[in-house]
Amino acid sequence: MYKVFLKPKKEESLLRFHPWVFSGAIQKIDGEPEEGSIVEVYSSDGRFLAIGHYQIGSISVRVLSFKKREIDHAFWMERLGVAYDLRCTLGLANNPDNNTFRLVHGEGDCLPGLVIDIYGRTAVMQAHSVGMHCCREAIAKALKEVLGDGLDNIYYKSETTLPYKADIENECGYLLGGEAEDFALENGLRFCVDWLKGQKTGFFVDQRDNRSLLEKYSRGRSVLNMFCYTGGFSFYAMRGGAKIVHSVDSSAKAIWLTNKNVELNFPGDSRHQAFAEDAFKYLERMGNNYDLIILDPPAFAKHKNVLRNALQGYRKLNAIAFEKIKPGGILFTFSCSQVVSKDNFRLAVFSAAAQSGRNVRILHQLTQPADHPVNIYHPEGEYLKGLVLYVE
Ligand code: SAH
């Protein structure tokens, strides 16, 4: 077993169960682990601290356990079993109205680098670390045992999430089954999921609760769903009784999926129209007719060094919405950038509101749903932020 020894006093964050070891904290390594190897971590005076996956980069070890134990079948069974029990407790698994939920949310489920989303009888598994990539077959085996007859397919989809420098093959493909039906059921609405080529694991599972809230505000409103992807928010608005719903995304494929989803849920319903267009272009040319606007852009900042630009982006985007939304309008605005804090996001939206000079009230402060839990020792896991605003 490879052993990583920390510099004196660098064990403190691990003693507080933070699951990352940064490269700067390491004194020496016994042996030459490859990226993805299992390593044990010790304090400078030789105390065992944790076991985890070794990786190359600023985070050197992602912790799998703070107890000295094997990372074997029993380990994966235990972790996946706990994750599944939690989703049962949340009423998400085995729910006739909902077959779509996140089963494993990385550090939030004490499995750093692993994401598993469930769509009916199909699991889509994504590795964000070479360590999890190396364990994919073992994880798939345990997953099938935990979910039993409820699971027919496991699709592995990691081509965009693994470190690009790692020399890895087999980033995508079925680890179990292969004849997957391609729709997700969320709160009684149906969505086509393209897990082969779609974004993330094929669907944005993390907006489920926020979409439900939007439904309650939709009656009689003219809705703009900006950055719609597969149209998630649009169908909740339609079911909630919206007068018109316009969905906009720059990706033609996303608009194609959105239109397909209209046919699945509201065939022939003329209230809905979709536009493949850049957000800023559309916002500039649109009129002042919308009284419910959703802004759910992609992560504007993926790294800390572009934070300033990202905050400018949020400010500009929201400023146009404040300028154009009808009096009495409701704005649902989001940021999914992990490096943008709740306070920074609120500040960007505040600046945008001030620019418009309108009276704006915060009605709700939104976050990610309970199947994307935040590990209390890893606050970095909190990434989705949203505000629902009333604009006079
Ligand atoms: N609201 C969606 C998820 C949005 S993800 C849901 O509930 O599922 C962000 C989306 O923004 C992606 O679909 C991406 O294609 C789109 N996008 C990225 N840049 C854009 C731009 N400049 N203009 C419009 N859409 C854009």
Side-chain angles (χ1 to χ4, degrees):
M1 175 68 72
Y2 300 108
K3 290 186 177 176
V4 171
F5 290 89
L6 302 186
K7 293 176 182 162
K9 297 212 174 80
K10 289 293 184 188
E11 68 275 19
E12 273 167 24
S13 67
L14 286 182
L15 293 175
R16 278 183 269 114
F17 307 111
H18 191 278
W20 296 344
V21 176
F22 288 98
S23 57
I26 295 177
Q27 179 83 281
K28 63 163 184 154
I29 301 177
D30 271 5
E32 286 180 20
E34 285 181 16
E35 181 151 31
S37 303
I38 301 276
V39 295
E40 286 178 350
V41 184
Y42 290 83
S43 63
S44 57
D45 58 0
R47 260 183 314 152
F48 173 87
L49 296 168
I51 185 165
H53 281 139
Y54 179 72
Q55 60 182 53
I56 293 163
S58 75
I59 302 172
S60 290
V61 183
R62 298 175 102 173
V63 173
L64 296 167
S65 175
F66 292 95
K67 297 203 178 92
K68 199 163 189 170
R69 61 168 301 167
E70 295 281 313
I71 303 303
D72 54 7
H73 184 61
F75 170 81
W76 299 115
M77 288 295 291
E78 184 188 311
R79 290 263 45 96
L80 294 176
V82 170
Y84 182 64
D85 282 351
L86 173 58
R87 275 61 182 183
C88 292
T89 301
L90 297 174
L92 290 168
N94 305 315
N95 175 340
D97 274 342
N98 193 84
N99 71 8
T100 303
F101 58 92
R102 178 152 292 190
L103 176 65
V104 174
H105 184 60
E107 283 81 354
D109 285 290
C110 302
L111 288 169
L114 183 67
V115 163
I116 301 177
D117 286 339
I118 303 291
Y119 301 102
R121 308 181 66 79
T122 299
V124 181
M125 190 167 129
Q126 204 161 57
H128 294 250
S129 70
V130 178
M132 286 299 181
H133 174 76
C134 296
C135 295
R136 65 197 183 283
E137 299 281 354
I139 298 167
K141 183 164 177 257
L143 183 61
K144 173 64 186 158
E145 259 181 74
V146 169
L147 294 184
D149 291 341
L151 184 72
D152 294 333
N153 310 291
I154 301 176
Y155 186 67
Y156 182 65
K157 182 178 195 291
S158 301
E159 64 190 336
T160 58
T161 55
L162 284 166
Y164 74 99
K165 283 190 206 118
D167 186 15
I168 282 172
E169 285 178 2
N170 303 323
E171 295 161 323
C172 289
Y174 282 95
L175 301 175
L176 176 75
E179 300 257 323
E181 56 180 43
D182 64 346
F183 71 83
L185 186 68
E186 187 186 86
N187 292 325
L189 292 165
R190 300 208 302 163
F191 294 93
C192 291
V193 177
D194 179 8
W195 45 71
L196 298 188
K197 299 222 175 60
Q199 303 180 37
K200 288 220 188 170
T201 63
F203 188 64
F204 285 78
V205 185
D206 56 2
Q207 288 287 22
R208 179 182 50 244
D209 294 351
N210 303 331
R211 292 178 187 133
S212 277
L213 180 66
L214 177 101
E215 183 170 354
K216 302 197 185 104
Y217 281 104
S218 301
R219 182 150 303 280
R221 292 199 180 253
S222 299
V223 180
L224 170 63
N225 180 8
M226 180 53 76
F227 308 98
C228 67
Y229 189 39
T230 53
F233 284 100
S234 301
F235 307 114
Y236 284 76
M238 291 174 82
R239 191 167 67 181
K243 202 159 63 185
I244 58 156
V245 179
H246 291 165
S247 305
V248 181
D249 198 289
S250 58
S251 151
K253 177 77 192 289
I255 293 303
W256 181 79
L257 280 166
T258 298
N259 281 327
K260 227 173 135 178
N261 289 331
V262 178
E263 288 315 305
L264 268 178
N265 294 288
F266 302 95
D269 195 323
S270 60
R271 288 178 300 159
H272 185 268
Q273 265 184 288
F275 305 90
E277 196 170 331
D278 174 75
F280 284 95
K281 283 197 182 135
Y282 187 91
L283 290 165
E284 288 297 347
R285 79 171 169 85
M286 75 184 197
N288 298 47
N289 297 324
Y290 297 114
D291 54 4
L292 178 50
I293 296 180
I294 302 119
L295 299 176
D296 183 22
F300 280 171
K302 294 225 160 99
H303 306 285
K304 276 215 167 85
N305 48 5
V306 290
L307 184 61
R308 251 180 81 95
N309 289 349
L311 293 175
Q312 289 286 357
Y314 289 118
R315 189 186 54 73
K316 267 174 68 183
L317 185 66
N318 283 278
I320 312 179
F322 283 124
E323 184 195 319
K324 297 220 173 171
I325 198 167
K326 251 182 161 170
I330 309 265
L331 175 62
F332 277 63
T333 183
F334 295 95
S335 162
C336 61
S337 305
Q338 190 250 320
V339 296
V340 174
S341 69
K342 200 159 116 184
D343 288 346
N344 272 337
F345 178 60
R346 172 121 47 127
L347 198 61
V349 177
F350 159 90
S351 308
Q355 203 175 318
S356 73
R358 296 175 74 171
N359 286 336
V360 177
R361 297 175 185 73
I362 299 176
L363 306 182
H364 304 270
Q365 302 183 49
L366 307 178
T367 182
Q368 62 218 53
D371 55 340
H372 295 57
V374 181
N375 181 336
I376 198 160
Y377 307 114
H378 179 257
E380 298 91 329
E382 193 173 345
Y383 70 99
L384 185 63
K385 300 146 289 276
L387 292 169
V388 181
L389 303 163
Y390 177 80
V391 189
E392 246 184 74

